[in-house]
Amino acid sequence: MVDKSGRGRVMAVYHLKGGVGKTAAAVNLAYISAASGYRTLLCDLDPQSSATYYLRVEPRLKHARKVLLKGGANVSGNIKGTDYDGLDLLPADWSHRHLTTSLDRVSKSRKRLRSILGPFRREYDLIVLDSPATATLLAENIFVASDLVLVPVVPSTLAARAYANVRAFIRRKGYDEGKVWAFFSMVEARKKMHRATMAAMKEQFPGWLGTAIPYAADVESMGSARAPLPAFLPVAAATGRYRALWDELAAVLGPGSTPGSQSA
Ligand SMILES: Nc1ncnc2c1ncn2[C@@H]1O[C@H](COP(=O)(O)OP(=O)(O)O)[C@@H](O)[C@H]1O
Ligand SMILES: [Mg+2]
């Protein structure tokens, strides 16, 4: 899971739309990564702090405003352990709401997040970014910082249009479309419309992962369990899908690499 210089990978879960399963995927994939032996850091970049809530971590940060602007010790001092071996969390905070304007005011840089995360790519094999639904300078920072941008797509007509907007945004800004990977999320296989939309979208756009995540009450129950799905329902069907999705992503992120290879 490391690059040529032995540094960990960064994967963002991103979409312009909310409510498509970004946080569910970020939390479950980060958990599976850690359980597979990769030292994993989940960064909750969404002021709604759902990922932080799922992992039962207090969302308040010390020196909140400065954390993502200054980086370094301000970030590391706020990384929290979770109940799960190998999984750490950078919690959300209200200040993230101001991150975009702050980034804009301070540096106007699209590389700021990448440089802030740089040192942590020596400590972690994988950094997962849970993004808010945004198409701002923060989104651009997320694209620049990431080796892989994972986009959950709900196969409804409106969601298909939103995904077309994501691809157009990435192209217009000149980012590498090759690092964008999409998967179908909240799929209701019995719905003819879902099946037809999936087939049409696969023709229209490249970069689909083979695994789809079904619409499942078990995934919703993460909210009451306040835990990653594989931690409390290890053999549920939806858990199996997240594991299959992880296997595909691990192959893209680090062909041939093994857990712990960074420290070996
Ligand atoms: N596969 C799924 N099946 C059923 N409900 C889901 C699924 N994925 C997410 N949800 C639910 O939908 C809502 C939005 O999911 P979330 O992951 O928070 O989306 P986002 O981060 O894109 O806003 C949450 O209540 C979550 O529990
Ligand atoms: Mg979310």
Side-chain angles (χ1 to χ4, degrees), residues 5 7 38 51 53 55 67-69 73 85 91 103 123 128 134 144 155 158-159 161 163 187 189 199 214 245 259 261:
S5 56
R7 302 206 303 167
Y38 298 107
Y53 178 82
L55 292 173
V67 167
L68 285 165
L69 290 171
D85 277 351
L103 281 171
E123 289 171 40
V128 178
T134 180
V144 172
L158 281 179
R161 283 182 53 203
Y163 184 56
V187 174
L245 187 61
S261 58

Side-chain angles (χ1 to χ4, degrees), residues 117-128:
L117 294 177
F120 299 98
R121 293 173 56 211
R122 287 192 201 92
E123 289 171 40
Y124 293 95
D125 301 306
L126 180 69
I127 299 175
V128 178

Side-chain angles (χ1 to χ4, degrees), residues 1-86:
M1 195 68 52
V2 294
D3 66 12
K4 281 179 210 129
S5 56
R7 302 206 303 167
R9 299 289 193 181
V10 180
M11 175 176 81
V13 188
Y14 175 80
H15 200 305
L16 286 163
K17 261 178 87 72
V20 296
K22 292 186 297 295
T23 298
V27 168
N28 291 334
L29 294 168
Y31 173 90
I32 295 167
S33 167
S36 306
Y38 298 107
R39 290 166 301 169
T40 306
L41 173 66
L42 175 60
C43 299
D44 187 353
L45 298 179
D46 189 347
Q48 291 186 16
S49 66
S50 310
T52 302
Y53 178 82
Y54 284 142
L55 292 173
R56 299 171 181 258
V57 171
E58 171 65 43
R60 203 148 10 91
L61 299 186
K62 283 181 274 175
H63 316 298
R65 282 191 86 103
K66 294 181 196 153
V67 167
L68 285 165
L69 290 171
K70 292 203 168 168
N74 270 320
V75 177
S76 54
N78 282 290
I79 289 176
K80 300 278 168 37
T82 67
D83 293 342
Y84 311 105
D85 277 351

Side-chain angles (χ1 to χ4, degrees), residues 107-125:
S107 59
K108 290 202 189 313
S109 171
R110 305 189 297 183
K111 296 182 181 158
R112 189 75 194 105
L113 184 59
R114 183 176 182 81
S115 65
I116 287 170
L117 294 177
F120 299 98
R121 293 173 56 211
R122 287 192 201 92
E123 289 171 40
Y124 293 95
D125 301 306

